[in-house]
Amino acid sequence: MRYSRYFIPTLKEDPSDAEVISHKLMIRAGMIRKLTSGIYTYLPLGLRVLKKVENIIREEMNRAGAIEILMPSVQPKELWEESGRWSFYGKELLRFKDRLGRDYCYGPTHEEVVTDIVRNHIKSYRELPINLYQIQTKFRDEIRPRFGVMRSREFIMKDGYSFDIDEKSAEESYHKMYVAYCKIFERCGLDFRAVEADTGAIGGNFSHEFMVMADTGEDTILLCDKCSYSANREKAQVGEKISSINTEEPLERLEKINTPDMKSIEEVSNYLKVSPLKTAKTLIYMIDSVFHMVILRGDREGNEIKIKNAVNGNEIRPATEEEIENLLKLPVGFMGPYNVSGLKVIADISLKGLKNFVTGANEKDYHFINANFDRDIKVDFFADISNAVDGDPCPRCEEGKLYSKKGIEVGHIFKLGTKYSKSMNATYLNEKGEEVLIVMGCYGIGVGRTVAAAIEQNHDKDGIVFPEPIAPFKYIIVPTNINDSEIKETAFKLYDIITQKGHEVIIDDRDERPGVKFKDADLIGIPYRITVGNTYKKDGKIEYVRRKDKTSLLYTFEEVINHI
RNA sequence: CGGGGCGUAGCGCAGCUUGGUAGCGCACCUGCCUUGGGAGCAGGGAGUCGGAGGUUCAAAUCCUCUCGCCCCGACCA
């Protein structure tokens, strides 16, 4: 490729609307341009990288026995009503009508379509298992798109779906994908970790997220410092040791204290001079249209997903202030799990065994001190319902403590079970002729996000440092002065030979000064730069520079060719 | 959806307070010169000042509405 005939609009300055480094560099290196919020064009350089990642994914998926297909991005409402997600999916689902007024959506994922295909054409246990995947444009109307292609609304995703005769076989399919994903991200040059995750809107009962370690990541993951436990914050469990069960403190007398206008834990604990560790805060959640009371230790944050799961609920939202006032007949801020009938009370395990704590008295301007479980307060059950934080005990091992890191979710695999095969009636006939539900799994990779994550992890002050397997070109040949015929001819001779050897190479044949070419070569992150210039004119040496660490070697023409 | 910020040439920005008819750097075009880390000189092209309405003799500037983009939040009472 000749640079002068290609299209790489690089920028000297950072774009004003980019925040994270990968976004800035992708714009500056001429890889992408924004069309509108969360919607991007891939320019030639960006597209080459995207295709590199796609091909790695394709190779590993095929190697793992998956089969590529291509499904439509526009999908009819009827399919989504069958699965129940037309109403469940919410505003993220982009919906529209055709000229006849029929409803459609732009696919954010493809469980419905692929299940429809399989139920229509797979009838026998002999045809299973099967794993179908595609690489395709998706649309999710994100609340707040940001960070360029890292969290965009339109994006390219590899989504795959496995279909098995039973749980055991499904687990094997899942494991194959787990292994394939590890290979894919290794080949992309990423430092990643597979962590346990919640299943979210996709649904199902078991999943792993593939997280790329990066400080700018939007997700927090918790890792054990002793064992291999790791999970994202939504899912991360807290070890039982968080409880205060072993204190030998005697029970004090319950007292009601006037706490005028003291509503927050901060206000109350300051006013009463009590650590938030010895307070309980009370929240009301609406879970599947039923109010639930949730109590947490004053220092802990509730985790809605865990709370929801603790009561096997589907939908959860905090009660509004108005609802609380109607329900308990008191202003918010003084609630407590005291004398509440008809409300299920769930307590976080951090509270288990806590003695003589402060809690709302269910009376305006009053809190209790020295409240104790059983004697004063009844809870229905204790559960792990708060967010794990740094220093929390590990849920898996005896000794370990959790610590947190930021990550970017580049892949997510789920065991779906029969969630979709049941609602959409996808069955096969077993060897006894019985109709049995197909057991499914689904597997996604954000392709563009993987590119962004790779840049997030591989850059320096001069620009992108592409890992070789996903670099848009392996070599860039820089003739320092294109008007010098000796330099020019040598450079082009090299270019022809390297191209013939089957390598991807771009030659910077622009009539620019050397500095400009060096800067651009660094910015766009080509792994090796071959410079033909002064050293060649002087003593026939060609410079071979590795982008990663700028190490430089001097070769004769023949040596360069042999080296490549 | 709530709060904040910003929309002026392809990109990055100044001008707006105090209204007087648009400017800087980069990029682009022409010429000269230069050729190892984003050179220099001279000349040049390019902007409905996001949009609509209003105030005024006069609006990028003041007022109203609107659209877009970015950031923070959207849950712990």
Side-chain angles (χ1 to χ4, degrees):
Chain A
M1 183 58 64
R2 292 173 59 173
Y3 201 124
S4 66
R5 306 311 317 151
Y6 208 42
F7 180 39
I8 312 177
T10 59
L11 259 32
K12 285 186 184 176
E13 286 170 292
D14 281 340
S16 63
D17 58 1
E19 198 73 8
V20 299
I21 190 72
S22 59
H23 186 195
K24 288 179 183 172
L25 286 174
M26 287 177 85
I27 302 273
R28 282 193 55 205
M31 293 175 68
I32 57 168
R33 284 294 184 270
K34 182 172 68 186
L35 178 62
T36 184
S37 181
I39 299 182
Y40 289 83
T41 297
Y42 280 89
L43 298 180
L45 205 67
L47 184 62
R48 286 186 82 103
V49 179
L50 196 74
K51 292 291 173 195
K52 286 280 167 65
V53 173
E54 282 186 14
N55 284 334
I56 290 172
I57 292 170
R58 202 168 265 125
E59 281 173 24
E60 295 302 333
M61 290 300 290
N62 292 349
R63 200 193 308 275
I67 306 164
E68 186 169 6
I69 58 172
L70 183 57
M71 291 180 267
S73 42
V74 173
Q75 307 176 16
K77 171 178 138 182
E78 288 69 26
L79 266 187
W80 285 71
E81 281 183 329
E82 266 195 74
S83 72
R85 289 205 292 186
W86 185 258
S87 53
F88 188 74
Y89 214 95
K91 288 186 178 164
E92 236 177 73
L93 186 64
L94 179 66
R95 300 156 209 253
F96 48 88
K97 290 180 193 292
D98 71 3
R99 62 171 78 199
L100 296 174
R102 290 182 291 225
D103 289 297
Y104 293 87
C105 64
Y106 196 104
T109 174
H110 280 66
E111 282 79 8
E112 282 80 1
V113 179
V114 77
T115 305
D116 182 59
I117 290 282
V118 168
R119 72 178 169 184
N120 289 338
H121 302 288
I122 302 284
K123 296 292 177 197
S124 160
Y125 70 95
R126 291 196 185 90
E127 299 166 292
L128 296 173
I130 190 167
N131 185 325
L132 302 173
Y133 78 97
Q134 63 173 347
I135 297 173
Q136 186 218 35
T137 298
K138 299 279 191 278
F139 194 94
R140 294 183 186 172
D141 202 354
E142 294 279 348
I143 297 179
R144 183 143 91 89
R146 59 187 137 175
F147 305 153
V149 296
M150 195 95 93
R151 176 169 228 85
S152 53
R153 296 192 293 169
E154 183 176 304
F155 61 100
I156 295 168
M157 177 173 170
K158 187 288 293 182
D159 50 322
Y161 308 87
S162 63
F163 300 84
D164 284 272
I165 54 163
D166 58 21
E167 272 298 320
K168 185 167 167 288
S169 171
E171 267 168 40
E172 282 167 27
S173 294
Y174 182 92
H175 186 250
K176 275 186 195 160
M177 286 295 108
Y178 184 100
V179 172
Y181 272 42
C182 290
K183 283 189 192 152
I184 289 165
F185 296 123
E186 272 164 29
R187 285 183 62 185
C188 291
L190 292 167
D191 173 24
F192 70 97
R193 191 112 181 216
V195 308
E196 292 180 22
D198 187 75
T199 50
I202 304 287
N205 50 25
F206 190 70
S207 93
H208 282 91
E209 280 174 356
F210 289 79
M211 304 289 257
V212 169
M213 300 302 144
D215 290 338
T216 50
E218 290 189 271
D219 296 293
T220 301
I221 62 180
L222 286 121
L223 307 119
C224 176
D225 60 6
K226 289 283 191 315
C227 73
S228 65
Y229 182 76
S230 56
N232 76 8
R233 171 150 289 170
E234 288 167 356
K235 169 90 178 182
Q237 296 162 278
V238 177
E240 294 276 343
K241 281 186 178 171
I242 189 78
S243 70
S244 324
I245 228 154
N246 48 2
T247 56
E248 299 203 350
E249 197 179 325
L251 301 192
E252 305 286 342
R253 195 169 62 86
L254 184 70
E255 275 184 70
K256 195 193 280 180
I257 304 285
N258 185 233
T259 50
D261 287 329
M262 305 286 164
K263 295 184 176 181
S264 69
I265 287 294
E266 199 187 348
E267 287 165 341
V268 172
S269 58
N270 281 339
Y271 182 72
L272 297 174
K273 304 211 167 13
V274 176
S275 155
L277 293 171
K278 291 211 81 173
T279 67
K281 64 180 168 190
T282 307
L283 316 173
I284 304 289
Y285 278 96
M286 178 70 99
I287 308 173
D288 295 338
S289 309
V290 180
F291 290 113
H292 287 73
M293 182 172 272
V294 169
I295 56 176
L296 303 166
R297 205 169 67 192
D299 61 316
R300 317 259 327 159
E301 272 185 9
N303 175 316
E304 290 188 1
I305 290 165
K306 288 187 184 179
I307 296 170
K308 183 182 82 177
N309 291 341
V311 294
N312 287 320
N314 280 320
E315 283 181 68
I316 182 167
R317 64 166 177 85
T320 64
E321 224 165 282
E322 201 185 346
E323 286 170 338
I324 293 170
E325 285 172 14
N326 283 335
L327 182 73
L328 297 172
K329 308 279 180 267
L330 83 160
V332 296
F334 306 97
M335 288 186 291
Y338 180 72
N339 256 348
V340 281
S341 51
L343 264 185
K344 190 163 259 186
V345 180
I346 311 149
D348 185 57
I349 51 167
S350 61
L351 286 166
K352 205 171 189 175
L354 187 66
K355 291 176 179 170
N356 303 324
F357 55 88
V358 171
T359 181
N362 263 352
E363 189 176 330
K364 186 178 184 316
D365 294 340
Y366 284 94
H367 280 79
F368 284 125
I369 58 169
N370 298 329
N372 284 282
F373 288 109
D374 300 330
R375 189 189 70 182
D376 314 312
I377 281 170
K378 301 260 185 310
V379 301
D380 287 275
F381 60 93
F382 288 90
D384 171 21
I385 52 172
S386 64
N387 276 333
V389 295
D390 285 85
D392 279 354
C394 174
R396 293 290 156 79
C397 68
E398 278 296 302
E399 294 293 303
K401 286 205 185 323
L402 300 177
Y403 65 98
S404 64
K405 274 194 144 185
K406 290 285 182 187
I408 300 162
E409 179 193 344
V410 290
H412 201 161
I413 59 179
F414 299 83
K415 261 173 63 188
L416 289 172
T418 55
K419 183 180 160 78
Y420 294 93
S421 48
K422 196 170 180 184
S423 57
M424 297 184 64
N425 197 33
T427 61
Y428 68 96
L429 292 178
N430 68 13
E431 50 274 71
K432 294 175 199 149
E434 298 161 335
E435 201 173 7
V436 184
L437 287 176
I438 298 176
V439 182
M440 292 173 56
C442 87
Y443 316 94
I445 292 177
V447 184
R449 188 183 281 187
T450 300
V451 172
I455 292 170
E456 202 68 38
Q457 277 190 343
N458 297 283
H459 68 269
D460 63 18
K461 64 171 175 43
D462 293 317
I464 302 169
V465 184
F466 274 118
E468 233 178 276
I470 65 168
F473 296 94
K474 185 173 181 185
Y475 300 105
I476 181 164
I477 298 173
V478 177
T480 56
N481 183 354
I482 204 71
N483 297 314
D484 182 309
S485 58
E486 191 188 359
I487 289 176
K488 183 178 174 183
E489 278 164 27
T490 308
F492 269 99
K493 213 185 294 171
L494 259 181
Y495 173 75
D496 288 340
I497 294 168
I498 299 173
T499 304
Q500 270 166 28
K501 281 190 162 196
H503 295 293
E504 289 178 303
V505 52
I506 183 165
I507 181 164
D508 194 346
D509 59 335
R510 294 176 299 171
D511 185 8
E512 290 285 355
R513 292 164 60 89
V516 173
K517 298 186 179 187
F518 293 150
K519 288 287 184 190
D520 275 338
D522 285 351
L523 178 62
I524 66 178
I526 309 302
Y528 300 98
R529 191 185 79 213
I530 297 166
T531 306
V532 183
N534 286 350
T535 52
Y536 186 72
K537 298 276 283 186
K538 219 179 290 167
D539 42 35
K541 293 293 176 71
I542 289 165
E543 204 178 15
Y544 186 90
V545 182
R546 188 159 62 183
R547 173 68 182 87
K548 199 170 19 176
D549 47 19
K550 304 275 177 81
T551 53
S552 165
L553 296 167
L554 287 175
Y555 288 131
T556 63
F557 190 89
E558 285 69 29
E559 285 170 339
V560 176
I561 289 164
N562 291 334
H563 188 80
I564 277 163

